[in-house]
Amino acid sequence: QVELVESGGGLVQAGGSLRLSCAASGSIFRINAMGWYRQAPGKQRELVATITGGGSTNYADSVKGRFTISRDNAKNTVYLQMNSLKPEDTAVYYCNGEFRINVFQQRVYWGQGTQVTVSS
Protein backbone atom coordinates (compact mmCIF):
# COMPACT_ATOMS: atom_id res chain seq x y z
CA GLN A 1 0.00 0.00 0.00
CA VAL A 2 3.00 2.31 0.44
CA GLU A 3 5.88 2.88 -1.94
CA LEU A 4 9.15 4.60 -1.08
CA VAL A 5 11.24 6.03 -3.87
CA GLU A 6 14.74 7.37 -3.24
CA SER A 7 16.54 9.86 -5.41
CA GLY A 8 19.57 12.11 -5.31
CA GLY A 9 22.40 9.61 -5.27
CA GLY A 10 25.40 9.92 -7.49
CA LEU A 11 29.12 10.38 -7.69
CA VAL A 12 30.77 13.14 -5.69
CA GLN A 13 34.30 14.02 -4.66
CA ALA A 14 35.42 13.76 -1.07
CA GLY A 15 34.38 16.86 0.83
CA GLY A 16 31.38 17.41 -1.39
CA SER A 17 27.68 17.23 -0.66
CA LEU A 18 24.63 15.34 -1.78
CA ARG A 19 20.99 15.57 -0.83
CA LEU A 20 18.94 12.40 -0.86
CA SER A 21 15.17 12.42 -1.05
CA CYS A 22 12.67 9.72 -0.20
CA ALA A 23 9.08 10.22 -1.22
CA ALA A 24 6.38 8.03 0.25
CA SER A 25 3.22 7.47 -1.71
CA GLY A 26 0.11 5.43 -1.24
CA SER A 27 -2.43 5.08 1.49
CA ILE A 28 -0.75 6.59 4.54
CA PHE A 29 -2.72 7.41 7.62
CA ARG A 30 0.24 8.49 9.71
CA ILE A 31 4.01 8.32 9.60
CA ASN A 32 5.46 6.93 12.81
CA ALA A 33 9.08 7.33 11.77
CA MET A 34 11.32 7.42 8.74
CA GLY A 35 15.00 6.93 8.32
CA TRP A 36 17.99 6.18 6.19
CA TYR A 37 20.16 3.09 6.17
CA ARG A 38 23.17 2.27 4.07
CA GLN A 39 24.97 -0.85 2.95
CA ALA A 40 28.46 -0.97 1.51
CA PRO A 41 29.66 -3.97 -0.51
CA GLY A 42 30.40 -6.91 1.75
CA LYS A 43 29.10 -5.11 4.83
CA GLN A 44 25.95 -5.26 6.90
CA ARG A 45 23.26 -2.68 6.44
CA GLU A 46 23.57 0.01 9.08
CA LEU A 47 21.37 2.78 10.37
CA VAL A 48 22.38 6.27 9.33
CA ALA A 49 19.66 8.56 10.66
CA THR A 50 16.05 8.48 11.78
CA ILE A 51 13.34 11.02 12.40
CA THR A 52 10.15 10.35 14.31
CA GLY A 53 6.73 11.70 13.56
CA GLY A 54 7.30 14.19 16.35
CA GLY A 55 10.52 15.41 14.80
CA SER A 56 13.07 13.76 17.07
CA THR A 57 16.25 12.78 15.22
CA ASN A 58 18.95 10.22 15.78
CA TYR A 59 22.24 9.75 13.95
CA ALA A 60 24.95 7.19 13.71
CA ASP A 61 28.14 8.42 15.35
CA SER A 62 29.96 8.19 12.05
CA VAL A 63 27.76 10.84 10.44
CA LYS A 64 27.00 13.20 13.32
CA GLY A 65 27.86 16.75 12.43
CA ARG A 66 27.96 15.97 8.72
CA PHE A 67 24.52 14.58 7.85
CA THR A 68 21.13 16.09 8.58
CA ILE A 69 17.80 14.32 8.29
CA SER A 70 14.67 16.38 7.75
CA ARG A 71 11.15 15.96 6.51
CA ASP A 72 8.35 17.66 4.68
CA ASN A 73 5.19 16.21 6.13
CA ALA A 74 2.96 17.79 3.52
CA LYS A 75 4.86 15.91 0.82
CA ASN A 76 5.45 12.73 2.84
CA THR A 77 9.10 13.15 2.02
CA VAL A 78 12.24 12.71 4.08
CA TYR A 79 15.62 14.14 3.14
CA LEU A 80 19.19 13.38 4.00
CA GLN A 81 21.59 16.25 3.53
CA MET A 82 25.10 14.83 3.39
CA ASN A 83 28.00 17.23 3.75
CA SER A 84 31.74 16.70 4.04
CA LEU A 85 31.39 13.35 2.36
CA LYS A 86 34.12 10.78 2.79
CA PRO A 87 35.01 7.74 0.68
CA GLU A 88 33.82 5.54 3.54
CA ASP A 89 30.33 6.97 3.04
CA THR A 90 30.16 5.09 -0.26
CA ALA A 91 27.19 2.74 -0.09
CA VAL A 92 23.71 2.08 -1.31
CA TYR A 93 21.41 4.24 0.77
CA TYR A 94 17.97 2.90 1.60
CA CYS A 95 14.96 4.78 2.81
CA ASN A 96 12.90 3.15 5.53
CA GLY A 97 9.62 4.04 7.10
CA GLU A 98 7.16 2.78 9.65
CA PHE A 99 3.65 3.78 8.70
CA ARG A 100 0.22 3.46 10.12
CA ILE A 101 -1.84 2.69 7.05
CA ASN A 102 -5.18 2.50 8.84
CA VAL A 103 -6.51 2.28 12.38
CA PHE A 104 -5.67 -1.43 12.52
CA GLN A 105 -2.37 -1.81 10.69
CA GLN A 106 1.20 -0.60 10.92
CA ARG A 107 3.83 -1.64 8.42
CA VAL A 108 7.53 -1.14 7.72
CA TYR A 109 8.53 -0.36 4.15
CA TRP A 110 11.84 -0.09 2.35
CA GLY A 111 12.88 1.75 -0.74
CA GLN A 112 14.98 0.12 -3.43
CA GLY A 113 18.07 2.17 -2.68
CA THR A 114 20.16 4.83 -4.34
CA GLN A 115 23.90 4.57 -4.92
CA VAL A 116 26.22 7.11 -3.35
CA THR A 117 29.84 6.99 -4.42
CA VAL A 118 32.45 9.28 -2.91
CA SER A 119 35.76 9.44 -4.69
CA SER A 120 39.08 10.25 -3.07
Side-chain angles (χ1 to χ4, degrees), residues 59-95:
Y59 298 91
D61 288 341
S62 60
V63 306
K64 283 183 178 178
R66 300 189 298 120
F67 292 9
T68 302
I69 188 170
S70 62
R71 71 182 190 278
D72 184 335
N73 289 337
K75 297 180 179 180
N76 288 335
T77 299
V78 65
Y79 305 94
L80 185 68
Q81 179 66 46
M82 304 185 294
N83 298 325
S84 301
L85 283 162
K86 305 174 181 179
E88 50 262 46
D89 294 318
T90 296
V92 177
Y93 284 70
Y94 296 91
C95 181

Side-chain angles (χ1 to χ4, degrees), residues 3-8 19-25 34-36 70-72 75-80 94-97 99 109-111:
E3 183 180 24
L4 302 179
V5 179
E6 302 102 332
S7 62
R19 187 191 190 213
L20 305 183
S21 298
C22 175
S25 62
M34 296 186 72
W36 291 93
S70 62
R71 71 182 190 278
D72 184 335
K75 297 180 179 180
N76 288 335
T77 299
V78 65
Y79 305 94
L80 185 68
Y94 296 91
C95 181
N96 166 272
F99 303 92
Y109 294 89
W110 290 88

